[in-house]
Amino acid sequence: MRCYLQAFLLCMVFIFFSLVYVFNQLASTLEDRDGWGLKEQGIPGGRSHDDGHLLRKRPGLAGRDHEEGLDRERSSSPGKHHGDERSHVAVVACGTRLEETLTMLKSAVLLSKKPLHFYIFAEDDLHEPFKNALDSWPRTAPTKFNFTIYPITFPEENAKEWKKLFKPCASQRLFLPLILKEVDSLLYVDTDIIFLQPVEDIWALLSQFDSSHLAAMAPEHEEPRIGWYNRFARHPYYGKTGINSGVMLMNMTRLREKSFKNDMTTVPLKWEEILMPLLQKYKLNITWGDQDLLNIIFHHNPESLYVFPCQWNYRPDHCIYGSNCQQADQEGVFILHGNRGVYHNDKQPAFRAVYEAIQKYPFGENMETSLLEPLEASLLTTTNSYCGRASHLFTKKLKQSILSVQQEVTQRR
């Protein structure tokens, strides 16, 4: 009887200390949130001068709008201005990702018909190269755009831990709703994205959100037999095969307002409250960093996620063993995602061909003859791979987009 009593007392002590630990983690997170509040007094309001932007590490580039030479309407509250037709696109670039990011931005500018605002989060030594490159783009660029460059910023107490999670700076995307407080909606994309149709087309998916949706992503896999999460994950994940965060459309107002169900406490937590406790609980079990954390969050809050088809985030996994993205088979690829470095090696020559065609295209040239035709010729040499045999899907939507842009240019003349 005494043994049972001792075991019962040990269990009670263990439960007590576990509860103390959880509440300490939540308290620490609330302190982090307060620290963010002191540092973030808002974002630049799309103005030429923004001396009060406190995220800036030094005067000059970070947190300031730059024009590419075209007249454009300015809004004092990006993303909330009535009648604002702009699509708001964010990207995080660190290390050697300058050229890859510029190629992604170029694809957006070439094919979009409506104005764009780019939010570029980059390491300090990349700020000047970004500004110089984007300022050099000619006034004949098809789309009006402006851009804002920000420093990489994490909560001070845990900055090192967040920065080293998965790839350098990748987890910055988790904090965009807390940094860009005045932005209502945002399209986040990885640097290795190529738009094959106008940005405003994916932006329009926001209108398909119901009242509970606050973000949209594509499945990580279409075919469970080659899925990663359903075979190897040691943590909760969304749906049958998980979600991929390389293309993420967000209603950030809703995201900031929502209280999220979780497996750490019975109390729903705000976005700024849930991130650090989630990392502390699962950091030994996650492989893909911030994407895994998003999978865990939406596993517990599936009603909040709008899932768009794989053609909006088409990766080598969709063709490496044969085509398994049915929507792309029918309508073509809308957004190409060259993850695992396939734009820069010989593993998937069809992906690399698309990247190089956009990269090498000279602004102002006829896109049909100087971009599309050379690309189609290059893709003919890639048919020794499964993705090469499906490469006609890469140009199906691109061809329509180019013809539509050129027709509009002709009408304006």
Side-chain angles (χ1 to χ4, degrees):
M1 188 69 176
R2 183 178 298 174
C3 292
Y4 288 119
L5 181 60
Q6 289 176 342
F8 175 75
L9 290 174
L10 285 173
C11 289
M12 293 301 293
V13 170
F14 177 77
I15 291 171
F16 172 77
F17 282 107
S18 297
L19 289 172
V20 170
Y21 173 78
V22 169
F23 283 109
N24 280 341
Q25 289 298 317
L26 293 179
S28 174
T29 302
L30 291 174
E31 289 175 4
D32 289 345
R33 179 183 62 177
D34 294 339
W36 274 91
L38 290 173
K39 291 172 65 182
E40 297 165 22
Q41 305 297 321
I43 67 163
R47 301 181 188 277
S48 298
H49 302 285
D50 177 42
D51 298 329
H53 183 48
L54 299 184
L55 276 177
R56 193 182 306 144
K57 291 184 178 178
R58 67 181 191 276
L61 298 175
R64 186 166 304 202
D65 282 344
H66 299 282
E67 293 189 343
E68 42 76 14
L70 293 169
D71 294 332
R72 73 218 46 217
E73 181 183 16
R74 295 290 190 170
S75 165
S76 60
S77 179
K80 288 187 176 181
H81 181 65
H82 180 69
D84 183 9
E85 289 189 328
R86 293 179 296 176
S87 300
H88 298 261
V89 181
V91 64
V92 179
C94 289
T96 60
R97 298 294 183 126
L98 173 67
E99 191 61 38
E100 186 174 88
T101 306
L102 288 171
T103 303
M104 179 276 291
L105 298 174
K106 186 178 182 181
S107 72
V109 168
L110 289 175
L111 301 179
S112 298
K113 297 179 182 179
K114 293 184 178 180
L116 300 165
H117 188 112
F118 298 129
Y119 302 83
I120 302 169
F121 289 78
E123 292 175 309
D124 289 351
D125 61 344
L126 295 179
H127 289 194
E128 196 69 36
F130 268 118
K131 179 184 182 301
N132 292 339
L134 293 172
D135 282 344
S136 73
W137 288 3
R139 296 189 180 189
T140 54
T143 303
K144 295 183 178 182
F145 71 96
N146 55 4
F147 61 94
T148 315
I149 300 176
Y150 295 86
I152 300 298
T153 311
F154 295 111
E156 288 183 352
E157 290 187 10
N158 311 106
K160 290 183 179 179
E161 191 165 8
W162 284 114
K163 188 167 184 177
K164 69 181 181 181
L165 183 65
F166 191 46
K167 295 180 181 178
C169 306
S171 58
Q172 178 74 83
R173 80 182 87 181
L174 295 176
F175 299 97
L176 297 182
L178 308 180
I179 299 172
L180 304 176
K181 290 184 176 181
E182 297 302 315
V183 178
D184 177 63
S185 297
L186 187 72
L187 174 65
Y188 166 84
V189 294
D190 284 348
T191 60
D192 51 7
I193 291 297
I194 296 292
F195 290 97
L196 300 179
Q197 71 173 50
V199 175
E200 57 263 25
D201 290 348
I202 188 169
W203 189 256
L205 294 181
L206 287 167
S207 65
Q208 297 186 24
F209 281 21
D210 65 26
S211 59
S212 63
H213 292 143
L214 51 82
M217 285 176 268
E220 173 70 11
H221 287 283
E222 299 297 307
E223 174 51 67
R225 288 177 295 179
I226 62 172
W228 193 91
Y229 284 109
N230 56 292
R231 292 189 296 160
F232 305 117
R234 296 179 294 163
H235 58 79
Y237 55 90
Y238 178 88
K240 293 182 179 180
T241 60
I243 46 175
N244 184 280
S245 59
V247 179
M248 181 166 58
L249 187 62
M250 294 176 280
N251 182 318
M252 298 210 297
T253 299
R254 291 183 182 178
L255 196 149
R256 286 184 287 262
E257 293 173 350
K258 182 176 174 61
S259 295
F260 292 86
K261 299 186 291 292
N262 61 89
D263 58 2
M264 299 172 292
T265 172
T266 57
V267 179
L269 300 175
K270 295 289 188 180
W271 189 258
E272 65 268 31
E273 298 169 341
I274 199 172
L275 295 176
M276 195 60 209
L278 205 61
L279 177 61
Q280 292 293 343
K281 178 172 181 176
Y282 287 105
K283 63 182 176 181
L284 298 180
N285 295 326
I286 59 177
T287 302
W288 309 114
D290 49 302
Q291 177 173 290
D292 290 347
L293 296 182
L294 289 168
N295 266 280
I296 296 168
I297 290 172
F298 287 108
H299 168 85
H300 294 292
N301 301 269
E303 75 286 349
S304 297
L305 186 67
Y306 177 93
V307 180
F308 50 66
C310 47
Q311 63 197 137
W312 294 102
N313 187 351
Y314 191 94
R315 287 161 283 121
D317 288 337
H318 291 121
C319 56
I320 192 171
Y321 302 117
S323 182
N324 60 57
C325 178
Q326 183 177 356
Q327 293 87 348
D329 290 341
Q330 296 171 353
E331 301 177 282
V333 175
F334 295 172
I335 293 178
L336 197 68
H337 186 177
N339 61 337
R340 303 195 188 101
V342 295
Y343 294 151
H344 313 292
N345 57 44
D346 296 324
K347 293 182 178 179
Q348 295 297 337
F351 279 75
R352 183 170 182 171
V354 177
Y355 174 83
E356 292 181 347
I358 298 289
Q359 182 187 37
K360 295 175 181 178
Y361 166 76
F363 274 112
E365 296 290 323
N366 182 291
M367 282 197 286
E368 189 173 4
T369 57
S370 299
L371 194 164
L372 182 61
E373 291 178 5
L375 172 58
E376 290 176 327
S378 181
L379 289 174
L380 290 176
T381 68
T382 70
T383 55
N384 59 330
S385 67
Y386 279 117
C387 289
R389 291 168 200 162
S391 63
H392 61 284
L393 304 177
F394 298 0
T395 55
K396 185 173 184 177
K397 198 65 180 181
L398 177 62
K399 183 182 298 185
Q400 297 174 14
S401 301
I402 287 175
L403 293 176
S404 179
V405 168
Q406 295 203 155
Q407 183 178 7
E408 186 170 285
V409 171
T410 302
Q411 290 175 348
R412 287 202 304 261
R413 288 174 178 170

